[in-house]
Amino acid sequence: MKKKLSLVLSLVLALSVVLMGAGCGKSNNTPATSSDNSLKGQKITVILPQNEADTVGFRKAKTAQFEKETGIKVELIEKSWEGVSDDVTGDLASGGGTYDVIEFDNSWIGKFIKNQWVAPLDDYMTADMKSGMVPGLLDLFSSGGKHYGIVWNNDTRFYMYNSKMLSDAGLSAPPKTWDEVAALAKKTGKTAYMDTYKQEQMGTNELMFVVYSFGGNFVDDQGNPIVSTDPGVKAAYTWLAQAYKDGVFGKSTLTMDYEEVAQSFDNGDFPLMLQAWPGVYADSNDNTKSKIVGNVNVADYSVSKTGNEQVVLTLPEAMAITSTSKHKEAAWKYIEYMSSKSMDKERSEAIGSLPIWSDLYNDSDLLQKYPYWKQFGEQAQNSKGYPKIVWVDNFSDIVAKQSQKILTGSVSVDQGLQQMQKLMEDAKKASDQQ
């Protein structure tokens, strides 16, 4: 949530790279080792949030292995996400120079690229990486045709369901459209799903999924707010407002957090977990945590307006190289090593982390251990995250707070979206003037 390469194999691969020419046609199926003696002895500083799934010290062990194989020294700093955020943004805003490889959160993309805080990676990336990694993860950290980050934490959400509850309701398959979700609630007289539409960032996360699943977007390709004119946005909020009124989802959704939603699902309170993070599956099949062991399945599609607007939410974290790094080649060696396909598989086997390489979702070894990843892979191909805007913090706050007014009927859908539009336009204008 272990197979080790021999040192001999690593040396053979490194020699092959030298013979072919650095970066020319090089496969990324195995961890890269340095073939450039000029990099030996260089020191890079890497700062990343602690990985909660990494209870075995995988990252630290592989960093030490990287140092041994390449001769590059690594100062690895691991803190809470908030601690890393404060350190990274504070350092870069004051001119940078402290870090070589940094955490690159999905919500930072617009700001970091606009401020030129991170370096493009295209001159380093192999063709295998560009074609083999999950498209949504790679595209999310791209802008203007350039790639700026390689994901280390694939935090993608997936559609799970309680098969027994659906069977008891006379369904042989989980709902595929939002109207089918509403029909399920009407048929059973109970809530069909719970989620968090809380007035916090987590609420914005889940509301983005609903809007995306109706084919809507909050902003256009230039980052201009379009919530008052986009038909998909209006359709999404119209459905949500009616669903709140009809009890399709519980009213406590407005106050629940992620953990409370997951606990309620594991308690058997509702059948549909529309956007569950991967750890939910394991917890739902843990007898010490769950009352629904053996009844949880994963769909190979997501809920949408017509069944055709397939999308799942992704909130990944990537590694990036700072523009101020004086050791970019060595920094890239570390990123390449830690994100190679073989390392990705080894990490997945060791700690259960979701792969960032597409074909690992069909890997026989991983499927034997995590058979439901086949469905994960189907859904992951349609992942979508935060809009790439500089004013993302304001965006998140506006969506979370204004959405509750619409859902509860304090304002009409049209009024609420017009107010949201005005607030977003003001936030964008203020950002543009900075």
Side-chain angles (χ1 to χ4, degrees):
M1 232 208 160
K2 289 185 179 177
K3 301 178 181 177
K4 292 187 177 180
L5 291 174
S6 68
L7 181 57
V8 173
L9 178 57
S10 297
L11 292 173
V12 169
L13 289 171
L15 178 60
S16 298
V17 173
V18 174
L19 294 174
M20 291 188 296
C24 181
K26 177 162 62 82
S27 171
N28 201 53
N29 292 343
T30 54
T33 54
S34 176
S35 59
D36 185 350
N37 289 331
S38 67
L39 299 180
K40 292 182 178 180
Q42 288 192 15
K43 179 181 177 181
I44 59 172
T45 301
V46 178
I47 181 168
L48 298 169
Q50 297 158 336
N51 186 344
E52 294 179 358
D54 187 3
T55 59
V56 298
F58 184 89
R59 182 191 286 161
K60 289 182 178 179
K62 294 306 175 183
T63 296
Q65 182 175 304
F66 169 81
E67 289 183 305
K68 182 178 180 180
E69 294 182 11
T70 65
I72 298 170
K73 305 300 181 182
V74 181
E75 180 185 1
L76 177 62
I77 301 171
E78 295 182 290
K79 295 183 176 182
S80 67
W81 186 91
E82 292 80 5
V84 171
S85 175
D86 290 343
D87 288 357
V88 168
T89 55
D91 179 66
L92 294 176
S94 62
T98 303
Y99 309 110
D100 299 287
V101 176
I102 61 167
E103 157 77 354
F104 192 20
D105 191 76
N106 67 95
S107 63
W108 298 349
I109 296 171
K111 182 176 182 179
F112 277 45
I113 293 177
K114 179 183 178 182
N115 291 333
Q116 298 182 346
W117 287 347
V118 288
L121 303 177
D122 299 86
D123 289 344
Y124 304 113
M125 293 177 67
T126 65
D128 283 352
M129 297 178 83
K130 293 179 180 179
S131 64
M133 290 183 170
V134 175
L137 299 180
L138 203 58
D139 294 345
L140 183 60
F141 290 94
S142 303
S143 180
K146 296 181 179 180
H147 298 86
Y148 290 88
I150 302 296
V151 169
W152 67 267
N153 179 26
N154 182 1
D155 186 6
T156 300
R157 308 306 170 86
F158 304 96
Y159 182 18
M160 302 181 192
Y161 60 95
N162 185 318
S163 57
K164 183 179 185 305
M165 293 184 75
L166 291 187
S167 178
D168 291 345
L171 298 182
S172 58
K176 195 168 187 177
T177 70
W178 288 106
D179 286 345
E180 290 175 356
V181 173
L184 173 62
K186 183 176 181 180
K187 181 177 183 179
T188 62
K190 300 178 181 179
T191 57
Y193 78 95
M194 297 291 287
D195 208 329
T196 174
Y197 298 148
K198 199 173 184 180
Q199 291 190 47
E200 294 181 12
Q201 183 172 338
M202 65 180 71
T204 297
N205 296 344
E206 304 310 302
L207 290 160
M208 286 195 305
F209 160 67
V210 180
V211 168
Y212 293 159
S213 70
F214 273 86
N217 286 291
F218 291 93
V219 301
D220 62 19
D221 292 341
Q222 288 71 49
N224 299 307
I226 55 173
V227 291
S228 64
T229 57
D230 187 288
V233 176
K234 183 173 181 178
Y237 278 97
T238 299
W239 189 90
L240 283 166
Q242 189 63 46
Y244 178 83
K245 183 178 180 181
D246 294 343
V248 177
F249 57 85
K251 290 179 171 52
S252 56
T253 287
L254 302 187
T255 57
M256 295 176 76
D257 61 24
Y258 280 132
E259 291 305 317
E260 290 170 324
V261 173
Q263 289 169 7
S264 187
F265 179 66
D266 290 344
N267 196 45
D269 296 337
F270 57 90
L272 307 179
M273 191 79 168
L274 301 181
Q275 290 289 273
W277 52 101
V280 171
Y281 188 93
D283 287 346
S284 296
N285 284 288
D286 184 336
N287 282 306
T288 66
K289 300 178 181 179
S290 172
K291 297 180 180 179
I292 60 173
V293 174
N295 295 325
V296 182
N297 286 341
V298 182
D300 55 9
Y301 52 83
S302 59
V303 173
S304 63
K305 181 181 179 181
T306 67
N308 296 320
E309 304 85 353
Q310 289 296 286
V311 66
V312 293
L313 186 68
T314 188
L315 303 169
E317 297 168 76
M319 290 181 285
I321 300 174
T322 60
S323 298
T324 54
S325 170
K326 296 180 181 179
H327 305 290
K328 290 184 175 64
E329 293 284 347
W332 171 252
K333 284 294 183 182
Y334 180 81
I335 293 177
E336 184 181 33
Y337 187 91
M338 298 298 284
S339 61
S340 68
K341 188 186 295 184
S342 66
M343 186 68 75
D344 196 25
K345 179 177 178 178
E346 190 174 345
R347 179 171 42 247
S348 296
E349 288 179 310
I351 67 175
S353 61
L354 284 179
I356 61 174
W357 288 82
S358 295
D359 61 7
L360 288 183
Y361 288 94
N362 296 308
D363 182 271
S364 58
D365 295 329
L366 293 178
L367 286 178
Q368 185 174 3
K369 190 170 185 178
Y370 310 108
Y372 49 94
W373 277 12
K374 187 176 188 301
Q375 287 76 29
F376 279 7
E378 293 290 333
Q379 294 188 44
Q381 298 304 312
N382 303 299
S383 55
K384 187 173 181 178
Y386 266 80
K388 299 171 186 177
I389 51 178
V390 177
W391 46 283
V392 66
D393 292 337
N394 297 104
F395 165 83
S396 179
D397 186 61
I398 292 167
V399 172
K401 292 180 178 178
Q402 293 302 119
S403 294
Q404 284 210 1
K405 295 180 181 179
I406 298 174
L407 267 60
T408 59
S410 298
V411 295
S412 68
V413 173
D414 287 336
Q415 289 174 326
L417 293 180
Q418 288 170 2
Q419 292 174 5
M420 194 182 295
Q421 175 77 21
K422 178 63 166 58
L423 289 169
M424 287 187 179
E425 288 176 349
D426 290 344
K428 181 181 185 300
K429 183 178 179 180
S431 175
D432 290 343
Q433 293 174 345
Q434 292 179 352

